[in-house]
């Protein structure tokens, strides 16, 4: 699990705002009005752990920080199903479909290259990747997704090869998740893993 990178940046900035300042684990705050002659106007001084203040700032700016890896649309739907949240389950599936079909590069075209990155699973399976070529299928408007290469030394015993499918990326988009996919068209990355493409 990786901490949200925005939270890490905020925490580091608070912990050591300037290179010559010693790193701090606690922050104490005083207002200029603390020294006001009227005691009723003096705010209460405060102290807070740096990581707690960073969390508070992040939550106010961006919402609660994510401490887990991104989840695929199917994993999000399964999580909602476990919570008995039918609306959340349907929303996750609809959002997954919309994110694919509204992508500026969608639909895939013959010649596109799709790379799927798989994260390591503890000490059992090391990280690996698979690269696929999109080709024209035998039916008009249908496509094939053919395995070109697999990196790493893990062999799952199967791959994501698809033949004669109008949308060969649909299953992997939902199951592996868009954050695991890199899509290249005409030598340009149109969908980088974990980010927005062009």
């Amino acid at each position: 699990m990786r901490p949200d990178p925005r939270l890490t940046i905020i925490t580091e900035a608070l912990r050591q705002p300037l290179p010559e300042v010693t790193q701090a684990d606690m922050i104490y705050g005083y207002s200029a009005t603390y020294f006001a002659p009227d005691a009723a106007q003096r705010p209460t001084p405060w102290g807070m752990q740096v990581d707690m203040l960073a969390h508070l700032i992040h939550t106010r700016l961006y919402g609660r920080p994510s401490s887990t890896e991104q989840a695929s649309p199917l994993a999000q739907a399964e999580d909602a199903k476990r919570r008995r949240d039918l609306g959340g389950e349907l929303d996750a599936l609809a959002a997954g479909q919309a994110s694919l079909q509204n992508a500026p590069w969608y639909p895939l075209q013959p010649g596109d290259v799709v790379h799927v990155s798989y994260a390591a699973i503890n000490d059992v399976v090391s990280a690996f990747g698979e690269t696929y070529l999109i080709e024209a299928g035998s039916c008009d408007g249908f496509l094939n997704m053919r395995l070109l290469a697999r990196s790493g030394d893990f062999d799952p015993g199967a791959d994501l090869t698809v033949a004669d499918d109008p949308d060969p990326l649909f299953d992997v988009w939902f199951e592996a998740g868009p954050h695991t996919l890199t899509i290249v068209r005409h030598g340009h990355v149109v969908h980088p893993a974990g980010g927005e493409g062009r």
Side-chain angles (χ1 to χ4, degrees):
M1 292 186 188
R2 293 180 309 185
D4 189 306
R6 296 173 300 187
L7 179 59
T8 302
I9 291 166
I10 292 168
T11 305
E12 289 170 355
L14 292 173
R15 184 163 285 138
Q16 191 171 23
L18 299 168
E20 63 272 11
V21 173
T22 305
Q23 284 196 7
D25 292 322
M26 292 287 292
I27 290 181
Y28 299 94
Y30 298 93
S31 168
T33 60
Y34 178 73
F35 301 103
D38 183 1
Q41 293 179 350
R42 293 183 191 165
T44 304
W46 57 271
M48 186 180 282
Q49 284 180 223
V50 168
D51 58 340
M52 297 298 288
L53 180 58
H55 191 279
L56 178 65
I57 292 169
H58 186 286
T59 301
R60 295 251 174 107
L61 290 173
Y62 311 111
R64 301 185 87 186
S66 171
S67 60
T68 59
E69 296 293 329
Q70 291 177 295
S72 70
L74 188 59
Q76 292 174 35
E78 289 294 327
D79 187 45
K81 187 176 185 178
R82 278 191 295 279
R83 295 189 316 266
R84 298 180 186 271
D85 177 7
L86 179 60
E89 183 179 356
L90 295 174
D91 287 348
L93 296 173
Q97 182 172 358
S99 68
L100 172 60
Q101 294 177 340
N102 293 329
W105 46 263
Y106 181 85
L108 291 176
Q109 300 173 5
D112 288 353
V113 175
V114 177
H115 180 79
V116 187
S117 299
Y118 297 95
I121 304 173
N122 299 324
D123 294 329
V124 180
V125 177
S126 47
F128 71 100
E130 294 176 331
T131 303
Y132 294 85
L133 177 64
I134 303 301
E135 302 170 316
S138 59
C139 299
D140 189 35
F142 283 52
L143 299 169
N144 300 331
M145 189 164 82
R146 180 172 56 89
L147 179 66
L148 291 178
R150 178 180 289 130
S151 65
D153 44 359
F154 176 70
D155 184 354
D159 58 57
L160 303 170
T161 296
V162 176
D164 289 324
D165 192 308
D167 196 347
L169 193 63
F170 189 84
D171 287 344
V172 69
W173 186 270
F174 270 80
E175 293 174 17
H179 61 284
T180 68
L181 303 176
T182 301
I183 300 171
V184 178
R185 175 173 294 160
H186 307 308
H188 299 284
V189 175
V190 295
H191 178 82
E196 294 299 320
R198 51 165 157 175

